[in-house]
Amino acid sequence: MTQEWWKNAVIYQIYPKSFLDTNGDGVGDLNGIDRKLDYLKKLGIDALWISPVYLSPQIDNGYDIADYRKIDPMFGSNTDMKKLISDAHNHGIKVIMDLVANHTSDQSLWFKESQKSRDNYFSDFYIWKDPQKDGSEPNNWGSNFGGSAWTYCEERQQYYLHYYGKQQPDLNWENPKVRQAIYDVMRYWKAHGVDGWRMDVITSISKNQDFPNNDNPHGLKYVVGNQNNGPRMHEFIHEMNQEVLEPFHMMSVGEAPDSKSKDTRSLVDPTRKELNMVFTFEHMHVDRKPGSVNGRWAIQPANIVELKRILFDWQKNLEGHGWNALYFENHDRARTPSRWGNDKEYRYESATAFATVLHGLKGTPFVYQGEEIGMTNPEFNLDDYEDIELTTNYKKLVENEKTISSKDFLKAARKISRDNARTPMQWNDKLNAGFTSGKPWFKLNPNYPSVNVDKDLSSSKSVFKYYQKLIRLRHTNDILEFGDAKLLMPDDKDIFAYTRQYKNQK
Ligand code: GLC
Ligand code: CA
């Protein structure tokens, strides 16, 4: 078997909380994933990426880890994880775990110790800075979840840095002990059989040690920016590659929010030994108004010409230099038919058209749970949403800064908020869509009686069967794996057309 198995593979992402609950507590679990391996095999996918299942207070649904070595009891046990990996392997399915190494939970032992004093083993595991003379934050950096990126700790009389929630302190990668601790975690799960890693905001791990203020064009108190591609990023990632990824043949796909195609060559060029692939954000911003103070909550109709340009810019610039990760949906993105298509009259057509565009490109396609049956955004009201990113930004933009009305914020939330993809998986038209016999942790999309796996499989317009075909093609067709991609009609607003060519086949 080639070590580059991921080059003709399709990878399926599971958001475990919302996949399948087997013990009636309303939360999906590892046994639920295990129970659906036959279903996944039938779809044809090669590997699973499982969003975080480690011990966590769940303020950011597991992207706040309290213990990297322990499965949260809510999902099962370490033994269940080992069993899931081995059952998946018996199905010919590989398992990729989520490595959240830019930050931990504030409930992790590392942080609890770090908070205590300036001179213990864990003191420098996080990024601590003295207040400015007037007691204010060390600089104007803003958190992605609203407010300052610094929170004051009485015990140490210092601020700690957090790019996300204040319950998610950033690790100090300058400290070699931190790096070794993370590599150890990776080895630990390797021993459980894991085949690779999706790396959460991995391009944020290196911080500019001058901690300069961000530019502040809108005159805000705190400014979000410059969180990625810091001075030692390549060095750290290369070290991780050499310490763990290469020796254990583990596959890697890094989340890279600010990466542009040309610069990304240096992250994914195989000769540099860093990452196999990255998830870019660039193509996902085609429905965002540029330069707005409201950031991603300032939406506009998707610019399809721009989408084509960006996707093909990546195809072209990585050709011969690295490998693309292809996606439209994940746990941070909305459902494509609702976001860029028409989820009412043309749900099937929207789902399959975008699937064709994506799965025809060169790279490794990722399918997010429910995408394979054309699940859509639920049209929730503000009270129904759970996501910390949404609630904190509502407070910041609507209530404090008043730069967007509540009505427009809701409109944006229904289009692009992360919760759109986090509603429970719709298996059938029975109680709670077959997701749980208990009270679901998160509201279901009310359309589950008509959009669900059972119904889709028996329909003459089955999105699932369409995905099955695309995945089969990926496995059997050399052009899809190796062929060059060329965009046709770049300026056409309605038609997305391109060719793939390999040797003399087109
Ligand atoms: C990544 C995750 C997202 C999370 C954030 C902080 O973007 O995909 O869900 O909130 O990092 O960990
Ligand atoms: Ca459960």
Side-chain angles (χ1 to χ4, degrees):
M1 187 191 43
T2 150
Q3 278 163 21
E4 297 196 325
W5 59 267
W6 37 272
K7 284 200 170 170
N8 75 337
V10 177
I11 301 178
Y12 186 93
Q13 183 193 352
I14 292 187
Y15 199 61
K17 266 184 127 166
S18 295
F19 192 62
L20 180 67
D21 172 29
T22 58
N23 65 352
D25 66 354
V27 183
D29 40 53
L30 295 179
N31 287 334
I33 303 174
D34 202 287
R35 210 173 274 178
K36 290 295 178 185
L37 288 171
D38 288 340
Y39 168 81
L40 296 165
K41 191 67 203 169
K42 181 164 150 188
L43 180 60
I45 51 97
D46 303 275
L48 298 178
W49 148 27
I50 304 176
S51 278
V53 283
Y54 317 91
L55 190 72
S56 162
Q58 299 284 321
I59 70 110
D60 189 17
N61 286 334
Y63 284 91
D64 48 323
I65 298 173
D67 186 344
Y68 288 108
R69 287 183 163 75
K70 192 170 163 29
I71 297 294
D72 196 298
M74 174 173 94
F75 294 119
S77 64
N78 288 36
T79 315
D80 294 335
M81 188 65 198
K82 215 167 173 172
K83 178 172 184 301
L84 172 60
I85 295 173
S86 108
D87 289 350
H89 287 170
N90 290 334
H91 280 75
I93 295 174
K94 297 192 185 323
V95 176
I96 291 157
M97 289 181 90
D98 215 309
L99 184 76
V100 188
N102 175 66
H103 46 268
T104 68
S105 160
D106 62 351
Q107 297 306 304
S108 86
L109 174 92
W110 299 354
F111 189 70
K112 285 186 180 164
E113 291 299 313
S114 192
Q115 255 177 327
K116 285 183 185 160
S117 68
R118 302 185 187 198
D119 53 12
N120 70 62
Y121 182 87
F122 295 97
S123 299
D124 296 330
F125 265 50
Y126 296 84
I127 300 162
W128 294 96
K129 287 267 169 271
D130 290 332
Q132 295 194 45
K133 285 213 180 67
D134 64 357
S136 64
E137 293 86 359
N139 63 26
N140 71 357
W141 291 3
S143 149
N144 291 302
F145 293 167
S148 171
W150 299 95
T151 290
Y152 190 68
C153 164
E154 281 296 336
E155 237 171 323
R156 267 185 75 141
Q157 310 254 310
Q158 280 184 310
Y159 283 95
Y160 65 87
L161 179 70
H162 53 87
Y163 280 169
Y164 294 86
K166 64 176 189 300
Q167 308 90 332
Q168 295 166 292
D170 279 41
L171 284 165
N172 176 20
W173 275 69
E174 300 289 321
N175 181 350
K177 287 184 205 149
V178 166
R179 308 204 295 272
Q180 286 304 327
I182 294 294
Y183 308 153
D184 265 353
V185 166
M186 297 169 79
R187 295 183 193 107
Y188 175 84
W189 290 106
K190 175 66 202 175
H192 283 65
V194 75
D195 301 286
W197 296 96
R198 176 267 181 183
M199 300 179 181
D200 195 64
V201 289
I202 195 68
T203 51
S204 296
I205 55 179
S206 164
K207 274 81 180 171
N208 181 340
Q209 295 301 298
D210 297 335
F211 296 89
N213 277 324
N214 283 327
D215 290 346
N216 194 359
H218 298 290
L220 299 169
K221 188 154 181 212
Y222 308 114
V223 187
V224 180
N226 293 319
Q227 293 183 349
N228 292 285
N229 314 320
R232 296 181 71 189
M233 173 187 78
H234 288 292
E235 176 195 337
F236 295 155
I237 295 177
H238 176 71
E239 181 183 88
M240 177 197 277
N241 178 298
Q242 293 301 289
E243 294 259 351
V244 217
L245 298 173
E246 185 174 90
F248 295 111
H249 307 306
M250 296 211 266
M251 169 270 196
S252 57
V253 53
E255 191 189 27
D258 290 334
S259 289
K260 298 282 181 290
S261 63
K262 271 206 179 125
D263 319 319
T264 299
R265 289 177 181 174
S266 48
L267 267 175
V268 297
D269 179 340
T271 63
R272 293 175 51 93
K273 298 180 189 287
E274 295 186 22
L275 300 172
N276 295 139
M277 296 174 261
V278 305
F279 291 124
T280 173
F281 281 31
E282 213 187 347
H283 67 301
M284 299 307 296
H285 292 175
V286 297
D287 51 7
R288 179 188 295 194
K289 273 195 200 117
S292 166
V293 61
N294 293 320
R296 61 187 231 95
W297 306 93
I299 56 168
Q300 63 177 18
N303 183 339
I304 297 294
V305 170
E306 186 64 1
L307 179 68
K308 298 198 286 191
R309 186 193 65 74
I310 296 167
L311 287 174
F312 274 80
D313 173 73
W314 280 77
Q315 292 283 299
K316 192 173 132 239
N317 282 326
L318 289 200
E319 183 62 50
H321 299 279
W323 198 254
N324 272 289
L326 310 167
Y327 79 97
F328 286 141
E329 291 188 17
N330 65 36
H331 66 292
D332 294 331
R333 307 290 175 189
R335 298 294 186 180
T336 317
S338 313
R339 181 173 183 171
W340 293 342
N342 175 338
D343 63 1
K344 303 285 184 311
E345 291 89 346
Y346 299 114
R347 189 179 62 85
Y348 172 83
E349 289 76 7
S350 298
T352 52
F354 281 105
T356 309
V357 162
L358 196 77
H359 286 244
L361 294 173
K362 188 168 187 172
T364 299
F366 287 73
V367 179
Y368 177 70
Q369 70 185 42
E371 188 176 350
E372 79 279 19
I373 57 162
M375 275 177 65
T376 62
N377 288 357
E379 290 186 355
F380 281 170
N381 290 316
L382 279 169
D383 290 347
D384 298 323
Y385 293 106
E386 296 269 349
D387 182 16
I388 179 172
E389 190 224 4
L390 185 147
T391 50
T392 52
N393 277 295
Y394 183 87
K395 220 172 243 140
K396 171 177 174 335
L397 303 172
V398 181
E399 290 175 357
N400 299 340
E401 292 166 9
K402 300 190 172 59
T403 50
I404 185 170
S405 70
S406 178
K407 197 169 139 239
D408 285 344
F409 188 91
L410 177 61
K411 215 168 129 196
R414 287 180 171 177
K415 270 285 180 202
I416 54 94
S417 81
R418 312 196 300 177
D419 271 344
N420 287 307
R422 297 177 178 185
T423 60
M425 180 72 184
Q426 294 162 207
W427 297 103
N428 55 45
D429 61 6
K430 310 223 170 63
L431 176 73
N432 298 323
F435 162 70
T436 178
S437 59
K439 186 178 175 301
W441 76 275
F442 189 33
K443 211 173 143 176
L444 282 114
N445 187 323
N447 73 0
Y448 75 81
S450 57
V451 179
N452 62 64
V453 170
D454 280 2
K455 188 135 190 202
D456 186 83
L457 282 170
S458 59
S459 160
S460 59
K461 280 181 157 189
S462 165
V463 181
F464 183 96
K465 286 183 187 154
Y466 195 87
Y467 268 89
Q468 250 181 343
K469 275 192 211 154
L470 288 174
I471 295 168
R472 210 174 296 138
L473 268 179
R474 175 71 46 175
H475 293 151
T476 54
N477 186 303
D478 278 354
I479 310 177
L480 277 185
E481 183 174 354
F482 304 110
D484 293 342
K486 191 170 156 244
L487 181 65
L488 307 174
M489 309 162 77
D491 300 322
D492 193 289
K493 289 198 201 69
D494 302 310
I495 297 173
F496 199 138
Y498 58 89
T499 57
R500 296 287 309 273
Q501 182 162 7
Y502 182 55
K503 296 187 175 158
N504 44 20
Q505 282 188 298
K506 194 166 179 174

